[in-house]
Amino acid sequence: MKYAYYPGCSLESTAKEYDLSVRAVCSNLGIELAELPDWSCCGASSGHSTNRRLAHALVLRNLALAERENLDIAVACPACYLRLRTTGKEMKDDFQQREELVNLIGMPYEAKYDTRHLLDIIYNDIGPERVKERLTKPLEGLKLVSYYGCYLVRPPKVVAFDDPENPKSMDMLLDALGAEVKDWSGKVDCCGGSLSLSKREIASQLVGEISEMARKAGAEAIVTACPLCHLNLETRQAAGGQKKLPIFYFTELMGIAMEIPGAKSWLKKHMLSPLSLLASHGL
Amino acid sequence: MQYVDKSGQAVYDASFLQRVKEASRTNIDCCYQCLTCSLSCPVAFAMDYLPNQIIRMVQLGLKQQTLTSSTIWICAGCETCVTRCPNDVDILRLMDALREMALREGVEGRERAIAAFHHTFLGVIKKWGRQHELSMLLQFKLKTKDFFGDIDLGIKMLLKGKLKLLPPRFRGSKGVRDIFQRIDRGLDGGERT
C-alpha cells in the first residue's frame, strides 16, 4: 500500500518525534509513505475560523497535488485530517463550489482520491494481530489510557473511522502492544487546542481535568495521536502536587514494542521525559 | 429596520438572521433549545453567552450583542455540539460564520488576543506557505504584549530543537501566497486575512 504522506506543519517542528516514529513504523509495517511534494499548510483552525474560502483553497491545493500523484493521502495530525476531509467531502458533494475553488487555485481537481488517518490505516488495514506478530518487546505492565481528543472522531460524518463517544481503535492497538490499557471517561474530551496560546488558563483547566481522569483510571501515561494535544498535555498539567503524567504518541510506543532502532531518541524530544517510566518497566 | 440604543449602537438588525443562515449554510431555525450543545461544550465555563443563547440571539437579530461576544471566539472548535445536536444544527459552522462576519465588519469583540492569534498564524502561512512557529510566537507576543508568558517553555522547546530557527523554504510557497492574494483582492467579496 502506498500513500501520499502529508506531514503537516507541526510534524516538521514541535512534533518532529511524531513524524520520525510514523515514518519508522510505516516502513517496518510495509506502508509506503511518499511525502507529498510541495505540500503546504492546511490552514488548521485559524483558516476555517476566520475565512471559509481561504480554508478550502489552502486545503484544495494539497488535494490537487495528491491527485497529480494518483494517491490517497495519509496524515498523522488530526487537525490536518479534519481539514483535508472536510474540504474533500465538500468538493465531492458540491460541484459548483468545486468549480469556483478550482478556478481560484488554478489547479485541476476531480475529487478522485481520499484522505486517511494513520491510526485508521494501521488499525483497520494492518490490524492489531499483524502488529502483534512484529513485537519483540511487549509493553508489559505499562498502564496507559488512550486519548483520542476531538478530530479523530468528530464530526462523525466527516472523519469517523471509530465511534465518536467511545472509540476503541487506539485502545485495541495498545492492547496488542502488550500494555495494560485502562478504560476511562476522558477519551474524547477537548484539550483546548490552539486556545492554549491565547487563553492558557482554559487549556490548563481542560488538561487538568483530563490528567486527573487518567490518574483516577490508574494510568501512568497518556497516549495520543495529535501534536497539539501532545503539547498541551505535556505543558499545561498543573505544577506542584501530583507528579505529571508523561505523554506518548501511539507510534512511539509501537516503535518501542517493535524495537525499532532509534525509538528512544524520539522520546528525548519530549517536554516531559517518559524514559524513567519506561525504565521502571524494563522497557 | 434597526433599533438603536442610547449610544447609537444598533440593537436589532432584521437582516442578521438571514445573512447568518446564508453564510453558515446550516438551518439554525431547527434549534429547539434542548441545551445539549451548551452542556457538552468544554469551554462553556469561559464564555459570556452559552452556545444555545447565541443561537437565540441570532434568531432575534441581536447582531451587535452576538458579534461582540466572547463566546464566538472562545469556541474551541471541538465539534462536540455538532456531533450531539439532535437537529443537525452545525453550531461550529455558525460560530465560524459569526467570526468571519465580525472580522469583515470590523467589529472588535472581547477576545482580541484570540483574533490576533488567528491573524498572526495566517500571516506567517501567507509569507512562507507553511507555519514557522518561532516567528509566529514572537509576532504574537509582540502583538499581545505578553512578553514573558511561557518564556520557560519557549526556551526549553528551542533547546530541544522543537522550534526551527529558519523558516520553511519550498517551491509551493508562491502558490500559497497567490491563493491569499487572490482572496484578498476580493474574488470572494473583499475578505481581509
Side-chain angles (χ1 to χ4, degrees):
Chain A
M1 49 176 85
K2 185 177 179 185
Y3 291 91
Y5 177 50
Y6 180 86
C9 305
S10 306
L11 268 74
E12 299 281 283
S13 57
T14 51
K16 189 66 196 169
E17 63 267 38
Y18 192 17
D19 178 61
L20 294 170
S21 59
V22 159
R23 290 177 193 264
V25 164
C26 285
S27 167
N28 187 299
L29 294 175
I31 303 169
E32 193 183 337
L33 299 178
E35 184 167 331
L36 185 63
D38 264 352
W39 63 270
S40 52
C41 180
C42 70
S45 52
S46 299
H48 74 85
S49 292
T50 59
N51 191 329
R52 197 175 54 83
R53 273 178 82 79
L54 174 68
H56 281 317
L58 288 175
V59 170
L60 189 60
R61 181 180 178 274
N62 292 289
L63 297 179
L65 287 172
E67 193 165 273
R68 221 184 262 179
E69 306 292 314
N70 292 303
L71 291 170
D72 282 342
I73 296 176
V75 63
C77 167
C80 300
Y81 174 57
L82 175 60
R83 297 327 318 155
L84 290 163
R85 290 280 283 221
T86 298
T87 299
K89 185 170 193 290
E90 262 187 63
M91 295 301 101
K92 280 202 165 94
D93 295 345
D94 186 344
F95 186 73
Q96 192 193 348
Q97 215 193 158
R98 192 205 305 177
E99 277 204 311
E100 287 169 20
L101 284 160
V102 158
N103 257 335
L104 195 145
I105 66 166
M107 293 163 78
Y109 181 68
E110 289 170 31
K112 292 196 281 198
Y113 295 98
D114 211 357
T115 299
R116 297 189 62 203
H117 191 273
L118 279 151
L119 177 59
D120 175 21
I121 295 170
I122 292 171
Y123 182 72
N124 286 309
D125 293 0
I126 306 282
E129 286 312 311
R130 267 175 70 195
V131 169
K132 212 171 185 169
E133 285 163 22
R134 300 189 74 82
L135 296 191
T136 48
K137 200 168 200 184
L139 307 174
E140 261 165 57
L142 188 59
K143 297 174 189 56
L144 304 170
V145 286
S146 301
Y147 176 62
Y148 298 75
C150 301
Y151 299 148
L152 284 179
V153 298
R154 293 191 297 269
K157 285 184 203 154
V158 178
V159 296
F161 55 90
D162 203 342
D163 187 87
E165 300 287 0
N166 191 5
K168 297 269 169 65
S169 48
M170 204 193 311
D171 294 72
M172 306 281 271
L173 189 59
L174 295 174
D175 182 72
L177 297 181
E180 230 180 278
V181 185
K182 302 293 187 185
D183 198 9
W184 69 313
S185 40
K187 275 188 184 183
V188 294
D189 287 4
C190 183
C191 71
S194 63
L195 287 175
S196 192
L197 223 66
S198 47
K199 302 287 257 189
R200 66 180 76 96
E201 63 281 5
I202 293 183
S204 299
Q205 168 84 7
L206 297 175
V207 166
E209 288 169 11
I210 291 166
S211 48
E212 191 46 42
M213 281 191 274
R215 267 194 208 94
K216 281 209 170 91
E220 299 171 300
I222 303 175
V223 188
T224 180
C226 171
L228 195 47
C229 295
H230 193 279
L231 185 63
N232 284 352
L233 287 168
E234 281 200 311
T235 60
R236 298 296 180 210
Q237 286 183 59
Q242 303 264 31
K243 189 166 186 287
K244 294 182 191 177
L245 295 174
I247 317 294
F248 290 101
Y249 289 108
F250 76 99
T251 42
E252 287 178 319
L253 287 174
M254 291 179 75
I256 292 175
M258 287 153 54
E259 287 188 289
I260 292 178
K264 292 271 169 74
S265 69
W266 308 328
L267 305 176
K268 294 211 173 86
K269 283 187 165 287
H270 287 206
M271 300 289 273
L272 290 178
S273 175
L275 291 168
S276 56
L277 171 64
L278 290 175
S280 73
H281 287 288
L283 295 167
Chain B
M1 175 159 140
Q2 289 193 337
Y3 290 115
V4 291
D5 65 14
K6 277 179 269 208
S7 64
Q9 291 279 28
V11 170
Y12 166 71
D13 182 331
S15 66
F16 186 49
L17 173 58
Q18 188 54 34
R19 283 170 52 217
V20 170
K21 284 201 313 204
E22 278 162 13
S24 64
R25 295 164 117 195
T26 189
N27 200 349
I28 308 167
D29 292 339
C30 285
C31 171
Y32 52 30
Q33 296 290 322
C34 70
L35 263 74
T36 298
C37 55
S38 300
L39 291 167
S40 302
C41 177
V43 289
F45 71 90
M47 292 175 168
D48 48 5
Y49 298 104
L50 294 176
N52 71 286
Q53 291 177 317
I54 292 285
I55 293 175
R56 184 57 94 213
M57 283 154 61
V58 170
Q59 289 171 332
L60 294 173
L62 298 172
K63 178 173 147 189
Q64 192 67 11
Q65 200 172 335
T66 307
L67 296 186
T68 55
S69 67
S70 274
T71 301
I72 64 175
W73 293 103
I74 298 277
C75 166
C78 74
E79 303 266 3
T80 310
C81 53
V82 173
T83 303
R84 295 182 184 168
C85 175
N87 289 323
D88 275 329
V89 179
D90 194 329
I91 301 147
L92 174 52
R93 208 152 173 180
L94 166 66
M95 295 290 171
D96 282 347
L98 293 172
R99 285 186 277 250
E100 193 163 347
M101 207 180 275
L103 288 172
R104 266 185 215 248
E105 304 196 7
V107 176
E108 271 200 352
R110 293 189 196 111
E111 302 294 341
R112 286 152 77 159
I114 302 176
F117 169 76
H118 292 312
H119 185 86
T120 309
F121 186 99
L122 290 173
V124 177
I125 305 301
K126 182 176 182 176
K127 184 165 180 159
W128 300 108
R130 295 174 189 168
Q131 192 51 255
H132 182 231
E133 287 79 5
L134 188 56
S135 55
M136 189 264 288
L137 290 168
L138 291 173
Q139 282 176 46
F140 181 64
K141 295 257 161 235
L142 271 169
K143 223 179 230 170
T144 54
K145 307 229 186 348
D146 172 33
F147 302 110
F148 296 106
D150 287 334
I151 197 162
D152 51 338
L153 287 181
I155 292 171
K156 192 169 180 182
M157 284 169 74
L158 256 169
L159 294 173
K160 283 188 175 280
K162 285 189 164 235
L163 293 173
K164 284 191 164 162
L165 288 172
L166 295 175
R169 301 298 291 261
F170 66 109
R171 277 212 320 260
S173 58
K174 177 160 194 314
V176 177
R177 212 171 309 125
D178 285 347
I179 288 174
F180 273 87
Q181 281 165 355
R182 277 178 218 153
I183 289 182
D184 280 346
R185 266 187 270 129
L187 263 89
D188 75 325
E191 181 52 63
R192 312 193 310 259
T193 39

